[in-house]
Amino acid sequence: MIQQLMKKILFVISTLLFISCQKEVVEYKLIVNSNPELGGLTSPSEGYYTEGTVVKITANPSSEYEFLDWEGSYLEYSESNHISPLSLSVIMNSDVTITANFIKKKYLLNLEVEGNGTVYKEVIKQGIIENYNSGTILRLNAIAESAWVFSEWVGDINGNENPVDLTMDGPKNIKAIFKHYPDSGLPIIKLRTNQVVGPTMDKDSYVEGTVEIIGEGNFESLAETSMKIKGRGNSTWWLCVDSNAGAVVGKCPYQIKFGNKTEILDMPEDKKWVLLAEKSDKSMIRNKIARYMGKNSRLEYTPSAEYAELFINDDYQGTYLIGQKVEESKNRVNIGDDGYLIEIDTDANGRIDPDDVIFKPIIWSSVHVDGVFNIKEPSLDFDSDEYNYIVNYINQFESILFSQSFRDPVSGYESFIDVDSLIDWFIINEIAKTVDARWYSSIYFTLIPGEKIKFGPIWDFDLSYGNLNYSDAQFENGFYVKQNNWISRMYDDPSFVEKVKSRYSFYFDKLNEFKKEIDDISNYINKSQKANYQRWATLGVYVWPNPVWNLTYSEEVDRLKGWIDNRMNWLNANF
């Protein structure tokens, strides 16, 4: 008994001793906060851990934030003294509260400007000034300087919306592109002068100034260069100074002259260049399509011209054709030092200047009392040997042409004149029914001593293709230039008639090509013509001598194509 009792007592005592030797289990609380709450998550975010437990805490930033640092008393218990790791190990020897601090990502905006203008930035959703917090929304507003226009954004924004909102969700590279008004794609001509240029200037007196040409990526540019400018033209100048004729005063034709030969818009270098205003021709295509036909012809030379936007002292003047002048030059009418360039003209209406050297062929002037042959080149004196040579040559040619033996293959009219050049010149002008190409004004021919008369170049088509109301040249049907004295006489030669018929088929086969070229030109200048007619309110109103004027621009183009189509079909049936 006593022995069993002693065993029980010993068990109780040992149990009590065991229990008294056990250490109490201690747990501590971990709390991990995110600042700001949207900045990211932590793992773990909270929990209870036994004393001495090592807990690894990881910060996970959200997409628009990045981790900044840890905040709290954790360093006392950290296994590392490294500041701001994304992962942190903490020894749980007490309750621990830790904050993971996050900060908005910051992005650089690299903003460039091409051209003349400024981009203003407005913060729509608050950020900071140079580097922007992720999610910041900026409104970019492109403001062009005078005579410039905002064109487009390129880079991390594309398009021409303006102003435009930009969300900063990463580094941004953006360029704002400004172009010269009206951003038509045409080259820009900037004329500058301290003197009067326009309707009130003395048309015949040069004014000193400078010109700068910006090729707009399609042509070679020209740095600012000294030049002189004056007015030009007869009826076209009248249209610019008389609102009764031209609907509004302005948009004048000009001639510019450089001190040295200068290349313009990839056209061969020379000193003198003309600026055609195209005020009567609402399509502004007639001169250009005629030149296109001329380039397809057998004529030795057809003047080149290119469309451009003209500014005078930063004042927008509209759409112009800048081109070559009809004059002797190795790059133009190449007749050398002793060749002749003749214009058949009239001495009526003040068209002949006092210093012009003219003559009146016997037969021609018997039909056209006012008709004169104006010797444009070379420079010579009345009754000089050079003067008498051309006078005698033309009189002898006309004498043979109107003689009984004019068809003689050896001594007839073909011994005096290059018939191929005459036929091409005739057909192009007959297609256009060029009002000035029958008797005078736009009739040019050349003669190099020892050679034959060659017709050309063609010139002045703004009142062609039915764009006049004072002559039957308005209508698609009927011959017109054929009535020219010389051509009419040559029609008495069956051989000449057959040559005309055969050559006309060459042009008729290109009818669709010509109409397509008109479409291509109208598309090319479409932006420009809109700005032109905003500047000059002449579209849809009468400008001398329009037979039809209440049309839109596209209707003007369609009328031109329709007129040419009807005209060339009529000629095909009647040549």
Side-chain angles (χ1 to χ4, degrees):
M1 286 286 295
I2 295 173
Q3 188 176 8
Q4 290 179 347
L5 179 60
M6 289 299 293
K7 287 182 177 179
K8 291 180 178 179
I9 292 171
L10 288 172
F11 175 76
V12 171
I13 292 171
S14 62
T15 300
L16 291 173
L17 287 171
F18 176 78
I19 293 171
S20 65
C21 290
Q22 294 297 307
K23 189 173 183 179
E24 182 179 356
V25 176
V26 179
E27 289 187 336
Y28 296 108
K29 185 176 183 180
L30 173 65
I31 299 174
V32 185
N33 298 314
S34 294
N35 177 39
E37 290 185 7
L38 296 176
L41 301 174
T42 61
S43 178
S45 59
E46 64 177 3
Y48 288 89
Y49 298 92
T50 304
E51 183 179 15
T53 301
V54 177
V55 182
K56 183 179 181 180
I57 307 168
T58 302
N60 298 297
S62 59
S63 62
E64 292 188 358
Y65 288 79
E66 59 188 4
F67 177 74
L68 178 62
D69 60 17
W70 299 103
E71 182 179 346
S73 57
Y74 71 94
L75 289 177
E76 182 180 348
Y77 308 103
S78 174
E79 290 185 330
S80 171
N81 288 327
H82 178 65
I83 304 298
S84 301
L86 282 174
S87 295
L88 176 71
S89 295
V90 176
I91 304 171
M92 294 302 296
N93 289 327
S94 67
D95 290 337
V96 175
T97 299
I98 295 176
T99 299
N101 291 316
F102 300 93
I103 188 171
K104 278 267 192 176
K105 292 179 180 178
K106 297 177 182 178
Y107 297 120
L108 175 67
L109 171 61
N110 179 32
L111 186 61
E112 299 179 38
V113 170
E114 180 180 304
N116 289 20
T118 304
V119 177
Y120 295 94
K121 297 172 286 186
E122 177 187 357
V123 176
I124 303 301
K125 181 179 178 182
Q126 189 169 358
I128 55 177
I129 295 178
E130 290 298 331
N131 294 342
Y132 296 93
N133 287 341
S134 178
T136 298
I137 299 177
L138 296 174
R139 179 161 293 164
L140 305 181
N141 192 8
I143 305 298
E145 293 184 6
S146 175
W148 290 72
V149 62
F150 170 71
S151 178
E152 61 179 330
W153 308 100
V154 295
D156 288 313
I157 297 179
N158 289 282
N160 55 14
E161 180 183 352
N162 187 47
V164 64
D165 290 349
L166 169 68
T167 300
M168 294 298 295
D169 53 7
K172 301 292 182 184
N173 291 286
I174 298 169
K175 180 184 286 186
I177 297 179
F178 298 89
K179 292 188 176 180
H180 292 83
Y181 178 83
D183 186 20
S184 64
L186 301 188
I188 307 294
I189 299 175
K190 291 187 170 184
L191 299 176
R192 298 181 179 90
T193 177
N194 293 325
Q195 303 178 61
V196 174
V197 173
T200 59
M201 73 185 299
D202 178 3
K203 185 192 80 167
D204 298 317
S205 299
Y206 275 113
V207 169
E208 302 281 347
T210 64
V211 60
E212 175 189 6
I213 299 180
I214 300 155
E216 291 291 73
N218 299 314
F219 299 91
E220 286 293 322
S221 296
L222 176 69
E224 190 167 10
T225 304
S226 296
M227 59 91 210
K228 297 188 291 186
I229 182 172
K230 69 174 184 176
R232 66 166 305 277
N234 293 298
S235 62
T236 51
W237 186 259
W238 172 51
L239 292 176
C240 111
V241 300
D242 187 341
S243 61
N244 291 322
V248 294
V249 173
K251 207 186 186 198
C252 302
Y254 301 103
Q255 176 175 292
I256 60 175
K257 182 179 180 180
F258 294 95
N260 299 307
K261 291 185 176 182
T262 303
E263 180 180 303
I264 296 292
L265 299 179
D266 301 337
M267 291 179 281
E269 64 180 14
D270 236 304
K271 288 186 177 182
K272 294 179 182 178
W273 299 84
V274 294
L275 283 160
L276 306 180
E278 309 292 26
K279 196 171 181 181
S280 282
D281 176 13
K282 307 292 181 56
S283 74
M284 299 188 287
I285 295 176
R286 285 173 167 82
N287 271 310
K288 191 69 171 174
I289 191 61
R291 282 165 167 78
Y292 184 81
M293 293 183 186
K295 299 287 187 181
N296 280 275
S297 75
R298 296 175 298 189
L299 297 173
E300 287 191 344
Y301 165 70
T302 295
S304 296
E306 297 291 346
Y307 289 102
E309 308 287 3
L310 179 64
F311 290 79
I312 298 179
N313 293 330
D314 292 327
D315 183 20
Y316 178 61
Q317 298 296 307
T319 311
Y320 276 73
L321 263 180
I322 183 168
Q324 297 174 313
K325 178 182 172 67
V326 176
E327 61 180 354
E328 184 280 322
S329 167
K330 68 177 182 179
N331 292 323
R332 296 183 179 177
V333 182
N334 190 6
I335 51 176
D337 294 334
D338 58 352
Y340 294 86
L341 172 62
I342 308 297
E343 180 183 12
I344 301 178
D345 209 332
T346 174
D347 60 4
N349 304 316
R351 291 181 57 87
I352 300 302
D353 295 330
D355 57 350
D356 285 338
V357 179
I358 63 174
F359 65 96
K360 294 190 174 188
I362 296 170
I363 295 177
W364 183 275
S365 60
S366 69
V367 178
H368 308 289
V369 177
D370 297 328
V372 297
F373 282 45
N374 193 344
I375 304 173
K376 312 298 286 187
E377 301 286 350
S379 178
L380 48 74
D381 296 324
F382 283 101
D383 207 29
S384 64
D385 290 343
E386 294 87 353
Y387 176 85
N388 290 328
Y389 176 87
I390 187 64
V391 172
N392 292 335
Y393 191 97
I394 298 302
N395 281 329
Q396 187 178 3
F397 162 64
E398 286 196 313
S399 176
I400 294 295
L401 178 63
F402 291 96
S403 71
Q404 293 295 319
S405 60
F406 80 105
R407 291 194 296 267
D408 188 288
V410 176
S411 59
Y413 73 93
E414 289 192 65
S415 65
F416 287 84
I417 190 166
D418 179 80
V419 174
D420 288 345
S421 69
L422 172 62
I423 288 174
D424 276 55
W425 180 92
F426 164 48
I427 289 174
I428 292 172
N429 279 286
E430 190 65 89
I431 290 172
K433 254 190 168 180
T434 310
V435 67
D436 291 336
R438 181 167 61 177
W439 308 130
Y440 65 88
S441 178
S442 295
I443 307 175
Y444 287 96
F445 67 85
T446 63
L447 175 64
I448 296 175
E451 299 183 13
K452 298 179 182 182
I453 293 170
K454 291 183 179 178
F455 260 68
I458 57 171
W459 186 251
D460 199 4
F461 288 83
D462 56 330
L463 302 187
S464 300
Y465 306 104
N467 188 35
L468 73 166
N469 61 6
Y470 59 84
S471 163
D472 59 4
Q474 171 186 345
F475 308 108
E476 297 102 326
N477 296 349
F479 286 106
Y480 189 79
V481 181
K482 181 183 174 183
Q483 299 172 36
N484 173 283
N485 297 15
W486 294 356
I487 296 172
S488 177
R489 175 57 171 166
M490 291 176 196
Y491 253 79
D492 292 334
D493 178 8
S495 174
F496 180 82
V497 174
E498 287 304 313
K499 289 178 181 179
V500 172
K501 288 180 179 180
S502 175
R503 186 58 179 166
Y504 181 74
S505 65
F506 167 81
Y507 289 92
F508 186 71
D509 289 344
K510 290 181 174 290
L511 174 55
N512 288 331
E513 179 183 327
F514 295 151
K515 291 190 291 185
K516 181 182 181 301
E517 180 67 14
I518 292 172
D519 284 332
D520 290 345
I521 295 171
S522 67
N523 289 331
Y524 176 60
I525 66 172
N526 188 48
K527 284 186 178 180
S528 180
Q529 64 85 13
K530 291 177 182 177
N532 179 82
Y533 290 118
Q534 288 175 355
R535 176 66 176 86
W536 306 108
T538 57
L539 189 63
V541 299
Y542 175 74
V543 174
W544 181 91
N546 297 157
V548 179
W549 61 86
N550 57 337
L551 303 177
T552 65
Y553 181 75
S554 62
E555 289 170 341
E556 288 282 357
V557 174
D558 288 342
R559 179 177 179 271
L560 172 60
K561 288 192 298 180
W563 196 97
I564 291 177
D565 189 276
N566 292 337
R567 176 65 176 161
M568 292 190 71
N569 275 287
W570 186 90
L571 288 172
N572 190 55
N574 290 275
F575 251 139

